[in-house]
Every structure is written in structure tokens, then in C-alpha cells.
Amino acid sequence: MTSSSTPSAPLPAQLCADLPDPAALGLVASGNDGCALVASAFTGRRLAAIPASVPADVHRAVGRAREAQQPWHTVPLSRRIGVFRELRARFREERALLYPALVHGCGLGPMDTLTELHAADRYFPACEAAARAHLRRYRLPRPHLSGRLGARLAPGHAVVTSCTDDARPLMSLLEGALPALLCGSAVITRLSARTAVAALRMAQHARAAGLPDGLWQFVLPQSRSATWVLHALLAEHTDARAPQCCPATPRPEDETLARPGLLVVRHDASVPAAVRAAVPSCFGRAGRPCAATSLIAVHQTTWSPFERAFTRAALHFAAHPASRTALPVVNAERGAAWAQAARAAGARPLLGHPQRFAPRPDALWHPMVLTASRWDGAPVPAVPRAPLALLVRYTAWSEVLDLARHANRHVGLFTRTRFSQLRPQFAGLPAEHLTLNAAPRSGLPPRQAVQALQPG
């Protein structure tokens, strides 16, 4: 990856200039704590200064949300779906402005930006189908008793809170809001400086689509320490947390750390298929999604061909212009420190070097691949959200299950063995999202989110 290259996405002057007042879009900020500066992740050019939220703003946001939720809860489901159909139509018309917002504001590369826009477009009909299927049992059998026609929902959570993920800005925004809004709840979303511009664009479209004022609000912290103060207040004063895939940890020191995803390449696996899935899973979006399989367990019979093919594919992936993603400095620093600690624990560097992995002015990155014949003793430490991969050779299946104890909910298995034979062996382990012959993907299906938001 060359240091002089940047994504071919223009930075239009109206990217933030034509946005309405953030307060009119649902951003709750008193203005007493300064502004959160938003700059291009690639060029460093200043995009906007958005008013930051303070702890007192959380109380105001919750109060407004409870007032707005009462009439929204009585709106028939068909009318709610109509609002989000209009929102999807406006989203598809204005994606040209969302593209540079995702590239420069969130630091996504061209390939990841197009993938994010496509996934967001498909999420709207998926939410509609989930709402129609799982909220049907809450329809009143005799609508004339309430004096209104149409479907209404049983009481649920009045106000829920959600957060955004810098690696999945649009999808995390929609996953934390759409199911809850369809269920009749109000939502307060905690933003970050990277996701603020894209979120305010979506809020602008939501207001134009007919979403009532105060129903979907946002808080934006000014600093990392303020992030977790707002997080704690939202958890205390709202009714529930919106179901999301692997939400951020509530501790400031672990902001960029997380349990790694696990990819298992068994003795009967197809090595080319495993490599094609493992490389983008490890290094896509600079390794920041929660489903990034930074931990790869490879059987000894397929170790040598997988190691050679994985190294070549990683170099090709990192050099491709479409895969360039900006890596935050804190992620790069912790990634370099983690790689040095892994080397001290016995891991062998296969590709890259911690010094080259350190943050650079252009915010781009080099992949880092480490190998270990075994990983005995101490648990696998939390892996920074960075383009890292640790290849571990195993000989017995019990070693894989031990690694799964220290991984997150995302596990991918490459094998010819039937899925029904492998799934029971992960019972009691953190692995909830198992995929066969494919890399796991971040995200929570809408049907699961809708079911989790319903009472009882």
C-alpha cells in the first residue's frame, strides 16, 4: 500500500455546509461543552464542528423521548412501515452525499463504502418483514374497542439506547434504531466524531420522511472520557439497550480492544476457499469489525499450504486501492503493542513488523500476521481492532474448543463435516454465531432484534 494514495472520493464543500441545525435533526447538545471536531480520516481536512453533548443533555433527551413515544406507540404498524419506506426512498436518492461522508468522515475505503451502502439498503425491507412477522400476534382482535383502526403493539420498552460502530457506521446506526422504532419505542443513539456526519444525514432524511420530532435523538461526546460518562447515564435512565451485535465495551481503557473472532480450518477443509474468506475477514475495514477473525486455528495437515496462500493473499489485498481504509492512531498504537507482546509470548512474525505497523501520517496500514505452533497457558489476550492475524496450529479438536473459550460470538468453520455434528460441541461457549465454509459477518438479524424488544 502506497503512502501517497487516497480514496478516489471527492470532498464536496457542501458535505456538511448544507446540513440543517443539528438540534433540528435530533442532536441534543446544550453547547456549554464546546464542539466535537470532525475531520477527514484521510486528508485531515476539517469537515465540521458539531456541538457536543454534556451529562445534563441526557436527562433532557430522555424526557423528550418519553413524550414523543406515547403518541408514536399508538400509530398503526402499517403507518410506521410507511415512514421507513419513505426513508429508504430518500436514502437511495441521496446516497451520493452519503458516499463521501462514509469515506472521509468514517475512514472507509471505496470497496467497504459500497458494501455498507448496499447492506443498509437491504436492511430496510428485512426490518419490514421482521416487523410484519413477529409483531402480528400483538394486534388487537377487536380494534373498535380502542376507537382506532389498524395494528397496535403490546407495551414494550418506552426508550432504548444504542451506539454506533466506526467500522460499520450506517449498519450499526440502523440496527440500533429501526427495529426499536418499528416496535413503538423511542431511541437515543450515542454517536462518535467519525459517525456524526453520516448519522445526521440519515436523521435529515428521517425527518423529511415523517418521523416525529423527539422520537430518534442523538448525543455526541466531545472526548473519549466523556463517551463513557454519557454511556453510563444512558444505561441508567433509559429502559433498555437496543439489541446490537457486539456493542462497545463500557470501559474507556478497552475502547479498541475486544475478544477476537475465530476461524477454524479443519483437516478436510478447502484451503483456497478458506483463504478467500479469511483475508477480507481479517483485514477488511482495517480489521475493525467485531466479526474480524483475528484468530485462525489451522490443522497441521493443512498448515503449510494455508500459510503460503494466506501470506500471498494478504499482500495482494493490502495493496489493492479499493481496500484502503484509514486506521485510527489509537488502534495502530495498540496493534503494534499487541504484536510485540505476542512475539514475546512465542509467536513468530510471518508478515509485517510492529515498527511498520505504527501510526503514520497518511493513516493507512500494513497487515500483520503472526504464527504460533500452539497457544498454551494464558488465555488469548484481547485483540485490538486492527489488521492483525494470529495463525495457531492445532492437532486435536480440544485445542480448538479451548481457543473458542477466549473468542467472541463469531466463529467460522471450514470443513466437509456436517454442521449438525459440530454445532453441539460449542454449547456453553461464547460462540453464538456459527457459519460453515464462510467467514462470519457482523450484524444482528432484524428478526432477533424485534423478538428481543418484545415483552415476555
Side-chain angles (χ1 to χ4, degrees):
M1 182 171 299
T2 59
S3 60
S4 60
S5 56
T6 55
S8 56
L11 185 58
Q14 72 273 17
L15 181 62
C16 301
D18 63 341
L19 274 175
D21 182 11
L25 301 178
L27 179 65
V28 184
S30 59
N32 299 329
D33 200 28
C35 296
L37 299 179
V38 180
S40 171
F42 288 96
T43 66
R45 176 181 170 184
R46 179 173 170 177
L47 299 179
I50 303 177
S53 305
V54 296
D57 295 327
V58 173
H59 300 275
R60 291 199 300 124
V62 173
R64 290 180 58 191
R66 295 194 185 279
E67 294 178 2
Q69 187 269 343
Q70 293 299 324
W72 175 254
H73 187 70
T74 62
V75 172
L77 179 60
S78 59
R79 287 180 54 188
R80 298 182 200 168
I81 291 176
V83 170
F84 291 106
R85 282 184 177 179
E86 178 64 21
L87 173 58
R88 185 194 185 195
R90 294 179 177 274
F91 163 77
R92 302 180 88 174
E93 292 175 359
E94 300 294 337
R95 66 171 61 193
L97 279 178
L98 279 170
Y99 184 88
L102 294 176
V103 171
H104 292 280
C106 305
L108 299 185
M111 180 173 59
D112 296 329
T113 299
L114 293 176
T115 302
E116 186 77 359
L117 290 171
H118 182 60
D121 184 46
R122 292 184 300 172
Y123 191 74
F124 285 97
C127 268
E128 177 181 341
R132 290 188 182 276
H134 297 284
L135 302 181
R136 189 174 301 166
R137 64 190 180 97
Y138 293 107
R139 291 183 178 179
L140 294 176
R142 291 175 291 177
H144 64 278
L145 295 180
S146 62
R148 291 176 179 266
L149 297 177
R152 294 168 181 81
L153 305 182
H157 302 297
V159 182
V160 300
T161 179
S162 64
C163 60
T164 55
D165 185 355
D166 292 354
R168 302 172 59 245
L170 271 185
M171 286 305 300
S172 61
L173 179 72
L174 297 178
E175 289 174 358
L178 259 61
L181 291 171
L182 283 172
C183 289
S185 302
V187 181
I188 302 176
T189 302
R190 174 171 54 84
L191 306 177
S192 68
R194 284 202 165 197
T195 61
V197 176
L200 292 178
R201 279 289 175 194
M202 288 299 299
Q204 182 183 15
H205 301 329
R207 297 298 183 274
L211 192 69
D213 185 36
L215 200 62
W216 190 10
Q217 300 178 87
F218 307 92
V219 292
L220 176 62
Q222 185 182 21
S223 61
R224 192 183 309 171
S225 59
T227 299
W228 307 110
V229 174
L230 298 182
H231 172 90
L233 288 172
L234 287 171
E236 178 182 0
H237 295 286
T238 56
D239 300 323
R241 187 167 188 173
Q244 290 183 280
C245 181
C246 304
T249 172
R251 294 192 298 173
E253 60 271 17
D254 293 342
E255 182 180 4
T256 62
L257 300 177
R259 285 187 172 189
L262 175 63
L263 193 73
V264 181
V265 183
R266 286 169 55 92
H267 64 282
D268 56 351
S270 170
V271 172
V275 170
R276 285 195 299 268
V279 170
S281 178
C282 289
F283 307 121
R285 309 194 187 200
R288 293 180 298 157
C290 60
T293 53
S294 304
L295 184 61
I296 304 178
V298 185
H299 193 266
Q300 62 176 356
T301 58
T302 56
W303 175 266
S304 296
F306 182 86
E307 184 184 44
R308 291 192 299 268
F310 183 80
T311 304
R312 291 195 302 267
L315 288 172
H316 183 270
F317 182 87
H320 199 281
S323 64
R324 294 165 187 153
T325 297
L327 182 66
V329 173
V330 63
N331 295 61
E333 291 175 345
R334 292 190 173 182
W338 186 91
Q340 293 176 351
R343 291 184 62 184
R348 177 175 61 89
L350 180 64
L351 180 65
H353 192 276
Q355 292 182 354
R356 295 187 67 194
F357 193 72
R360 304 187 306 167
D362 54 18
L364 301 179
W365 49 268
H366 289 279
M368 170 67 65
V369 181
L370 304 172
T371 64
S373 58
R374 291 179 61 114
W375 195 269
D376 298 326
V380 178
V383 182
R385 297 196 172 189
L388 298 167
L390 177 63
L391 308 184
V392 180
R393 183 187 310 189
Y394 77 93
T395 56
W397 183 246
S398 59
E399 300 174 27
V400 174
L401 297 180
D402 183 65
L403 289 174
R405 293 175 52 240
H406 310 297
N408 62 17
R409 64 187 296 265
H410 300 287
V411 176
L413 303 169
F414 280 84
T415 180
R416 292 186 176 91
T417 306
R418 292 182 179 179
F419 188 68
S420 58
Q421 297 178 0
L422 295 174
R423 186 176 181 84
Q425 302 183 40
F426 289 88
L429 297 176
E432 300 176 0
H433 180 205
L434 296 174
T435 58
L436 189 64
N437 296 323
R441 295 183 178 180
S442 302
L444 193 67
R447 63 182 184 274
Q448 294 185 16
V450 172
Q451 288 176 340
L453 287 165
Q454 293 309 301

